[in-house]
Each structure stands twice: as structure tokens, then as C-alpha cells.
Amino acid sequence: MTSIPVPVEAPPAPPAPARRVRRRRPERKGWLFVAPFLVVFALVFLAPIAYAVWLSLFREQVFFGGTEFVGLDNYAAVLGDAKFWESFLRVLVFLVVQVPVMLLLALVAALAIDSARLHASGFFRVVIFLPYAVPGVVAALMWGFIYGDNFGLAADLNDLLGRQAVAPLSADWILPSIGNVVTWEFVGYNMLIFYSALKVVPGDLYEAAAIDGAGTMRTILSVKLPAIRGAVVIATIFSIIGSFQLFNEPNILRTLAPNVISTFYTPNMYAYNLSFAGQQYDYSATVAIVMGVITAIIAYVVQLRGSRKGV
Amino acid sequence: MSTVRTPPSPFLRPRKSVVLTILMSLFLVYTLVPLAWLLISATKTQPALFGTPGLAFGDSFALFDNIAETFTHDGGIFLRWLGNTLLYVVVGAGGATVLATAAGYGLAKYRFPGRRAVFAVLLGAIAIPGTALAVPTFLMFSELGLTNTPWAIIIPSLISPFGLYLVWVYAVEAVPDEVIEAARIDGAGEVRIFLTVTLRLLLPGVVTVALFAVVSTWNNYFLPLIMLSEPDWYPLTVGLNQWSAQASGVGAQPIYHLVITGSVLTIIPLVAAFLLLQRFWQSGLSAGSVKQ
């Protein structure tokens, strides 16, 4: 979860040249505004991708130093790497469980806040969004302490019940525990995406639905949900990308539960540890590329399915 | 799913529902209990942390002692980290906002050749996960001798494809072509039009972009973790985790009370910014989703 994108609808296609008014020179000056962005963009987006692809074609020589061109061998190695697949399956399980739970909670909250039936709805909106402003590191440290045996709420709960009722940092619980941290951090952010989309649903639609005798449930299913489909698709894509990139939370909780969270717990942790503990930069770059391609494909498929249903 | 169970009532002027409010309050509890725990813990001495229940105050109110110790521990390194974070935020997020605003406006209001290509490249960039970029960026910066310098954090923070997108969408709505035409007829140059006329119209969108850029820079962890090995350049996030990690291992000297107090100090500026700028970012976001 390195970069947090601003929640918005799917990008608009560049407007067709509707007005064929003959325009003078100034149009070309648009480059003046766009060029600085593109220069930096090339440096921090395009160049690293090209460099990663280049690196992934080589392998470090163990004894002689230097590198050797190995073609696609690194890719073959990643695809046959049990550690890679273990970490991949783990984030896939995480994705399949955590993302729907989080998005459903966010949707319910957004519908409730938008329903005009909630007392102090503005207060709810701001407070539920608040964890987004908490750095992921602080959220993970905070929950890690709360989960812990030393002075956490989990320990208090066990004391209260007089037995080891919850053990959030044990092997069986750690993945749901991480899921809880991520949900806590981002449910409000997704709520806000949905809420912003609900806000701009035209009032006529509600009026029409009310005249047709639609109840609350009916209005939600037939008017509100279809109207915010774009926002749901975008939020789903962001959440999928976030899940595949899972790093901060497990990496920080690892200091509290080193025996439960391995160095290849998620693909991103695997790539990181290959680079910084193992010095296997070429292999690490390959893992990163493979994950990037898988993520992009899944995000693309979700986008296609999401927009096709809209037709 | 409480919203669906409420009794039918005239839809356009629904009554407030107590049941719904109570159910949603559970949400508030989930959101606030961890933060309450953090705040209460920041008022405790280290022995009290271990000796009292999590949501109860300790015998003494040690918040101010903790704050003082946080700032002076290890030669005042926390203050240094705070300064680093501010540097990265001001230059990185500030630069990101400037670049995204100019580019978003340029794409929205000028039909220059190559515009579609820019659009396609940006769309592709949005789909690329940061994972694929982080390690190669480190290796590249290391070749360029940029690792372990502030530039390693600032340069990648300068790009916010979504910030650009938001300004783009916002500018289409908020800046009428007629205004630009009128300024041109008055003889103003393009840059001057941007600086004196359109920037004001874009303000809510720009504040939103800035706020989200600030959050992502302030909260940045993975990038500095990779790029920096010198604690003197750490931002707060990496520094705090280093303090936390001190508690385990050989010769460990736990300073949990400082990690907790430092966490509170790290959160406060952002929470304050969000609360104070509510009006701006909420309108900026709504505008962003007007476009379907």
C-alpha cells in the first residue's frame, strides 16, 4: 500500500473533437503544462520498468562476480518456485476474503450515511474516514501492540475470560489479524468513494422510484447500486492492487511474531528480502515483474467485467 | 444491512432512525477503540503499560514526560525524523501537486497533438502496481548514487497519476473555455492565464490533490525503507518502526512508551489537516465523481 490514489471514477475518454472550430496556435502550448509531469514520470515510472525487464534477463555469477545473460531462465525459475507460489496463494486467499468484507462494510456505511435517516451523519462520515489519515506503519504498530500478550487488549480479554481465548499473533490467526488491520485502515476510504458517488445520483431518480412505489430496499438495489457501479469497480481494482502489494502490515507485525510470518509471507516481502537480505537483485526484479503482470491482468479483467455489466 | 429493515416512510423526507444510528455506532466503536487505546497508552509510563488494563489510565499522567522523552531520546533523533518527514512532504507532495495541476489543466484545456498518447500511457501507469517498481527504482537510484539522499524519497513522490486525473476532470467542469478565450483576447500569455485566472477556479480540486499527496508522502514507508540505510534521513514512519524493533533481539531495550507517544505525535498533524480542510476535500472528491 505504498501510494494511495485519489478515489475517482473511471477516466473519461478524451472528448471527441466535437467542436470543429478552427483554433489558433495556443493549443500546442498544452505541452508546456504537460511536459514537466511527463519528464519526471518517465524517470520514475518508465525507466524502472525498462530497467527491471533488462535485469530479469541476467543472473549474478556467484563466484566470479559480474553477470551472465540467461534469457528467460529467471522467469522459468519464478514460475517453478514453491516459495513464490506459497506467498501468491496467501495473498490470493487474503484478497478473496478481506476485500469483499471490507467493501461490503464500506458500502453499508455509505448507504447508511447517505440515507438521511442517520442522526449526526456528518460526524459518522468524518470519524469512519479518520483511520485513513493514520500512517499504515502506525496502524500496524498499534494493532500489533493491541494483539500482543504484553499490554494489549487481547491480553486483557484473555485475563477477563480466564483462558487463552484469542491469540491474534498465532499461526492460525495471523492472516485474519492482518486482514483486520487493513480493513480498519481502508474501510473509511472506500466508504468515502461510495458516498461521493451516491451524492451525485440525480434526485429525479429517487423521485421516480418513490412515485413507482419503490421501498428502501428496492431503491437501493435498482437505483443506488447501479448508479455507483463505476465507483465500486474502481474501489475493487484499488483493493486488488493493494492486496497483491501487501507488505507494510505483515513486515511490521513480523517483529512481534517472527516465527509466524516468514520472509516470503507475501510476494512483495519475498521480492524485498531477495534484494536486501539475499542480494539476488535479478531474481527479485523477475518476481516483481511477474507479480506486476498478474496484478495488471486481474485489474484489467475486473474493469472489463465491471463495465460490460453496465451495458 | 440495517438500512433495509427500517419501516417504510415517505422516501424523500425520511425520518431519522434510532436503530440505524445505534447499529452504525458499532462502526464508530470499531474505528475509535484502537485510537482511544493509543491515546490512553501515551499517558502511561512503561511500567504502567504492563501493569494496567489497556483502556484504563495509569497511576500517574505521564503524557508530557513521554512527549519530552520522545523528543530527547537518542540525541533528539525523533525531531530529526520529523524534520525529514516535513521536508519530504513539502518538496515531494508540493511538487506532485504542482506537476499534477499543470498537467491536468493542460490535458483538459488544450487539444494538442499527442494528447491521446499521453492518455494511454497514464492509463497504463495506473494499472502498474508499485511492487513492480520499487526494487528496480532502488537499483536504478543506487547506480545514480541517489540512495541514502533525500532525493531518493522526493523524486518518486513527485508523480501522482491520480492527482493528475482528478485535476483533469475537475478542470473540464470548473474552468469555462470562455474565460480562457477572454483572457487571450486581453493579450495574456498562456502561463499568465494559468497563474492569474484558472488557478483560482481550480482551487478545491488542487487542495484535494495536495491533501492526498501529503497523506501518501507522510505515510510513505516502503520507499524510504528501501532507499535509506542512514537513520539520519529516516522519516517518522521508518524511525518509529526501528524503535519498535529495538524491543526484540539480543540486548533489547524496549521503549514501548516512546513508540506509542511517537505514534500519537505522527498521527496528529494529518488528522488535524483533514478535519480543518474538510470543506475543500469533500467538495473536490464529489466533483471528481461527477464524471461517469
Side-chain angles (χ1 to χ4, degrees):
Chain A
M1 311 250 170
T2 42
S3 65
I4 298 304
V6 172
V8 281
E9 293 295 327
R19 289 194 299 158
R20 292 198 174 273
V21 184
R22 279 192 62 200
R23 293 196 169 249
R24 288 154 298 132
R25 278 271 179 71
E27 300 303 347
R28 282 182 179 278
K29 292 202 173 155
W31 276 111
L32 205 68
F33 295 102
V34 182
F37 181 94
L38 288 181
V39 170
V40 185
F41 179 80
L43 182 68
V44 301
F45 261 84
L46 305 183
I49 294 172
Y51 191 54
V53 172
W54 171 255
L55 279 176
S56 70
L57 304 176
F58 293 86
R59 185 172 294 160
E60 301 260 336
Q61 297 284 54
V62 182
F63 296 109
F64 310 105
T67 52
E68 173 195 19
F69 182 81
V70 293
L72 296 176
D73 281 8
N74 282 329
Y75 290 92
V78 169
L79 295 179
D81 185 341
K83 286 180 177 176
F84 172 74
W85 288 114
E86 188 190 320
S87 66
F88 178 77
L89 280 179
R90 191 172 288 118
V91 288
L92 197 64
V93 169
F94 182 89
L95 168 75
V96 168
V97 178
Q98 188 265 338
V99 170
V101 169
M102 175 179 70
L103 293 182
L104 201 65
L105 284 173
L107 193 59
V108 169
L111 286 169
I113 290 170
D114 182 62
S115 73
R117 295 191 181 191
L118 198 61
H119 291 275
S121 62
F123 175 73
F124 278 91
R125 190 175 67 224
V126 169
V127 171
I128 292 174
F129 177 70
L130 218 51
Y132 178 72
V134 175
V137 172
V138 172
L141 283 173
M142 179 179 74
W143 278 103
F145 290 150
I146 290 176
Y147 289 157
D149 294 332
N150 290 335
F151 47 83
L153 293 179
D156 290 345
L157 191 64
N158 287 335
D159 280 350
L160 199 68
L161 298 174
R163 64 195 174 87
Q164 189 73 6
V166 289
L169 295 175
S170 63
D172 291 341
W173 288 65
I174 190 73
L175 199 59
S177 298
I178 294 172
N180 175 55
V181 179
V182 176
T183 304
W184 184 84
E185 285 177 82
F186 291 101
V187 73
Y189 172 78
N190 287 297
M191 177 275 291
L192 201 68
I193 297 183
F194 297 150
Y195 175 77
S196 300
L198 282 170
K199 281 274 279 188
V200 296
V201 175
D204 321 358
L205 287 182
Y206 295 149
E207 251 171 67
I211 289 167
D212 289 347
T216 307
M217 183 70 184
R218 184 82 215 174
T219 312
I220 289 174
L221 287 179
S222 308
V223 180
K224 295 193 178 192
L225 291 185
I228 64 168
R229 179 199 308 282
V232 174
V233 171
I234 289 282
T236 307
I237 290 174
F238 288 166
S239 303
I240 289 172
I241 292 176
S243 300
F244 276 141
Q245 290 190 59
L246 195 62
F247 178 84
N248 290 1
E249 293 81 6
N251 197 50
I252 287 164
L253 291 177
R254 206 175 113 73
T255 41
L256 300 170
N259 300 323
V260 176
I261 299 177
S262 62
T263 54
F264 52 94
Y265 197 75
T266 71
N268 212 3
M269 282 180 73
Y270 189 36
Y272 170 78
N273 285 307
L274 280 171
S275 273
F276 296 94
Q279 312 291 319
Q280 289 175 275
Y281 297 119
D282 303 322
Y283 194 61
S284 169
T286 316
V287 169
I289 293 172
V290 170
M291 265 326 277
V293 169
I294 294 176
T295 311
I297 290 173
I298 293 181
Y300 187 67
V301 168
V302 169
Q303 195 173 11
L304 276 189
R305 283 191 59 91
S307 40
R308 195 175 54 201
K309 272 194 240 153
V311 178
Chain B
M1 291 301 251
S2 54
T3 50
V4 301
R5 300 274 160 76
T6 42
S9 59
F11 188 82
L12 295 173
R13 295 210 60 88
R15 274 178 298 131
K16 302 284 184 202
S17 160
V18 176
V19 178
L20 182 63
T21 307
I22 291 172
L23 282 172
M24 284 298 291
S25 300
L26 293 178
F27 229 120
L28 286 195
V29 170
Y30 174 61
T31 305
L32 290 178
V33 163
L35 292 172
W37 177 87
L38 191 71
L39 278 177
I40 292 170
S41 296
T43 69
K44 295 181 188 175
T45 59
Q46 188 145 256
L49 268 181
F50 287 90
T52 51
L55 290 171
F57 284 94
D59 295 335
S60 56
F61 187 82
L63 176 62
F64 298 107
D65 295 340
N66 283 344
I67 291 175
E69 201 184 335
T70 303
F71 277 111
T72 52
H73 181 77
D74 196 9
I77 190 81
F78 188 84
L79 201 60
R80 170 94 204 199
W81 292 337
L82 177 63
N84 291 341
T85 297
L86 287 174
L87 173 73
Y88 303 148
V89 164
V90 170
V91 183
T97 308
V98 171
L99 290 179
T101 303
Y105 168 71
L107 285 166
K109 289 296 163 186
Y110 294 87
R111 315 253 177 284
F112 56 89
R115 198 162 151 276
R116 276 167 185 276
V118 172
F119 176 76
V121 169
L122 287 176
L123 206 65
I126 290 167
I128 295 168
T131 328
L133 289 174
V135 170
T137 309
F138 164 77
L139 296 173
M140 208 178 79
F141 277 26
S142 137
E143 302 264 318
L144 298 171
L146 290 173
T147 46
N148 256 326
T149 70
W151 296 112
I153 313 303
I154 290 170
I155 294 174
S157 307
L158 288 174
I159 290 301
S160 163
F162 289 91
L164 178 145
Y165 170 77
L166 194 79
V167 176
W168 180 357
V169 172
Y170 197 83
V172 170
E173 298 286 314
V175 183
D177 286 338
E178 294 75 21
V179 173
I180 302 175
E181 280 305 329
R184 274 182 197 146
I185 290 165
D186 289 348
E190 302 302 314
V191 175
R192 184 148 162 240
I193 294 173
F194 174 65
L195 292 178
T196 58
V197 181
T198 49
L199 209 49
R200 203 167 339 128
L201 299 171
L202 288 175
L203 194 63
V206 174
V207 171
T208 310
V209 171
L211 199 59
F212 281 84
V214 166
V215 170
S216 70
T217 319
W218 187 280
N219 295 354
N220 205 346
Y221 170 71
F222 191 42
L223 189 71
L225 180 72
I226 288 181
M227 294 288 182
L228 306 173
S229 53
E230 183 61 55
D232 273 354
W233 286 119
Y234 282 175
L236 287 169
T237 49
V238 180
L240 276 177
N241 192 45
Q242 199 208 26
W243 273 5
S244 161
Q246 269 181 30
S248 53
V250 187
Q253 283 184 310
I255 42 170
Y256 290 121
H257 60 309
L258 300 189
V259 177
I260 288 170
T261 311
S263 297
V264 172
L265 295 173
T266 305
I267 295 176
I268 288 173
L270 285 190
V271 169
F274 265 106
L275 293 181
L276 290 174
L277 296 173
Q278 258 187 76
R279 189 176 301 278
F280 282 103
W281 56 265
Q282 294 202 353
S283 72
L285 281 183
S286 302
S289 44
V290 169
K291 277 278 169 183
Q292 294 286 346

